[in-house]
Amino acid sequence: MEKIVLPEIKDIHLLDVYVQNGGFSAVKKAFTQTTDDIIDQVKKSGLRGRGGAAFSAGLKWSFMPKTTNKPKYLCINGDESEPGSFKDRQIFEFNPHQLIEGILITCYAIGAKTAYIYIRGEYHKWVKLMQKALDDAYAAGYVGEAMKEKFGTDFYCNIYVHKGAGAYICGEESSLMNSIEGKRGYPRVKPPFPAQNGLWGCPTTINNVETIANIPPIINKGWEWFSKIGEPKHPGTILFGVSGHVNKPGVYELPSGTLLTDIIYNYAGGVPGNKKILCVIPGGSSMPPLRGDQLEGVKMDAESLKAAGSAIGTGGIMVMDEDTDLVKVLARISKFYHHESCGQCTPCREGTGWLEKILNRILAGNGSTSDLDLLITVASQIEGNTICALGEAAAWPVRFMVTRFRDYFETKVSKEANLQIANKVHSMRNTEFPLAEIKN
């Protein structure tokens, strides 16, 4: 199987090696075509966003206004902060020049003269690697005003690496733009959408790192070629980051629609000790989990996972064996989203804290069956009531894990829990009351 984003070519991260293997031939080809032709090719290829939403890349590009007096911008979302997701850093490290070439083609197609590669703050190593690759490309005339002479064209664009400050919320596109502008990472209310009102109030397109890295091969080999790889409704290869209880964790580039069980057992080497799988989260920690006894026939593409009751997300497959404490897992996930909530929306700011507190209570052995219902209620009150999708990211793991593993969670709580009531009567501060008596 041909690898598109991470080809098995030694030292492909070096500019000379990349050029020797056909690097920057796609952008030369793109400059001989109209911008509408390029957008049309990307649309026809069926390329969908690899950052979580799986939205049509070509359709997103077409939203950019054709005529405007304002400058246009392109943002590359490399704020890879989702627990269980670690695929974009492979591109920064092993194939950065294909990303740069993809950026040049995208900027030409949408009419942008400036692009920002936004990389998460904790990725110190990968920020340096990407900056080094970009510096080499500038020095060789592949980026910046020197492009005019290099490619014999009037078009040129500049690319900047922007390092985040460690906030998960800045992976949300409008928070990312606020961060680049030097503001607090708060999501913006939509509409207006970035294509109309983005960076500094100007038309802006935001795409994921992996999405843009797919552009040069599409231009070089044609949209027909790309559209025939993997699942027809979600074509191409996908970088699957497999972690958890597997013998060979790592990033695997495979055609979309590959069976989840094939990825776990044939590529990731199966589960240590041949233990049974209890749970799998197929797309990063924010996606609905799947039961281990319901994995047969599940394919890893957007439509198949939707039918299975989950989502492709960032392709971060988290495998948990039969000995995993799901309450601990869920408590840790909830702690993350509580910590990373920006605090702008009340349901998310307060609700994520409530979820964490309830799960910690269950973890301490003080949970009751009513707490399980309360978790679902709180999660439902967060979901759909926030400006950005962090609300859903925090709510989905809780709601779906408690619902789908209700039998498991029932064994972790008692039907009637004893709670300490600190201030019911001052003299009885350290006295415990049965829950039923308190209600009375």
Side-chain angles (χ1 to χ4, degrees), residues 219-252:
I219 300 300
N220 258 339
K221 299 186 178 183
W223 63 266
E224 299 98 334
W225 162 80
F226 187 86
S227 66
K228 291 172 184 172
I229 300 170
E231 284 293 308
K233 291 185 178 179
H234 190 185
T237 60
I238 297 175
L239 297 181
F240 296 109
V242 188
S243 61
H245 296 137
V246 290
N247 286 308
K248 293 192 295 181
V251 176
Y252 299 90

Side-chain angles (χ1 to χ4, degrees), residues 280-423:
V280 173
I281 304 179
S285 65
S286 63
M287 295 297 112
L290 299 172
R291 288 180 63 98
D293 55 11
Q294 295 175 348
L295 302 180
E296 284 300 321
V298 174
K299 293 181 179 180
M300 288 300 291
D301 66 90
E303 303 306 320
S304 300
L305 279 172
K306 187 177 179 181
S310 190
I312 188 71
T314 55
I317 300 169
M318 305 166 75
V319 182
M320 295 163 237
D321 69 23
E322 57 190 329
D323 295 331
T324 306
D325 186 336
L326 290 184
V327 181
K328 277 187 178 178
V329 171
L330 198 52
R332 185 63 189 86
I333 290 173
S334 293
K335 179 181 174 69
F336 172 81
Y337 289 113
H338 180 208
H339 178 74
E340 294 296 341
S341 172
C342 75
Q344 185 176 193
C345 307
T346 305
C348 179
R349 182 183 67 242
E350 301 299 325
T352 52
W354 296 351
L355 293 176
E356 185 189 355
K357 285 176 184 176
I358 298 165
L359 284 161
N360 283 338
R361 185 160 72 222
I362 295 171
L363 208 53
N366 297 321
S368 67
T369 50
S370 61
D371 282 331
L372 302 182
D373 296 325
L374 185 57
L375 282 170
I376 295 170
T377 301
V378 173
S380 300
Q381 293 297 325
I382 299 171
E383 192 178 336
N385 293 314
T386 55
I387 290 173
C388 85
L390 194 145
E392 281 77 9
W396 282 359
V398 173
R399 182 162 74 85
F400 286 102
M401 195 171 280
V402 173
T403 303
R404 291 173 180 174
F405 294 88
R406 183 79 188 210
D407 52 344
Y408 176 91
F409 278 85
E410 292 278 3
T411 66
K412 300 292 182 179
V413 297
S414 58
K415 288 187 177 179
E416 203 64 55
N418 287 331
L419 299 176
Q420 283 196 342
I421 304 300
N423 294 311

Side-chain angles (χ1 to χ4, degrees), residues 172-299:
E172 192 276 332
E173 61 181 17
S174 61
S175 297
L176 182 151
M177 292 188 294
N178 275 344
S179 179
I180 290 175
E181 290 179 13
K183 299 172 184 172
R184 185 172 182 172
Y186 266 0
R188 301 176 184 177
V189 177
K190 301 172 194 174
F193 293 97
Q196 283 73 47
N197 193 321
L199 274 175
W200 296 289
C202 300
T204 306
T205 292
I206 301 104
N207 281 122
N208 174 259
V209 170
E210 186 185 347
T211 310
I212 296 299
N214 275 286
I215 300 302
I218 291 173
I219 300 300
N220 258 339
K221 299 186 178 183
W223 63 266
E224 299 98 334
W225 162 80
F226 187 86
S227 66
K228 291 172 184 172
I229 300 170
E231 284 293 308
K233 291 185 178 179
H234 190 185
T237 60
I238 297 175
L239 297 181
F240 296 109
V242 188
S243 61
H245 296 137
V246 290
N247 286 308
K248 293 192 295 181
V251 176
Y252 299 90
E253 183 176 358
L254 300 166
S256 63
T258 301
L259 287 170
L260 178 55
T261 48
D262 280 355
I263 296 173
I264 295 170
Y265 291 104
N266 296 344
Y267 293 96
V271 182
N274 290 320
K275 293 180 180 178
K276 292 180 180 178
I277 295 175
L278 177 63
C279 174
V280 173
I281 304 179
S285 65
S286 63
M287 295 297 112
L290 299 172
R291 288 180 63 98
D293 55 11
Q294 295 175 348
L295 302 180
E296 284 300 321
V298 174
K299 293 181 179 180

Side-chain angles (χ1 to χ4, degrees), residues 160-171:
Y160 303 94
V161 173
H162 187 100
K163 184 180 179 182
Y168 170 77
I169 192 66
C170 290

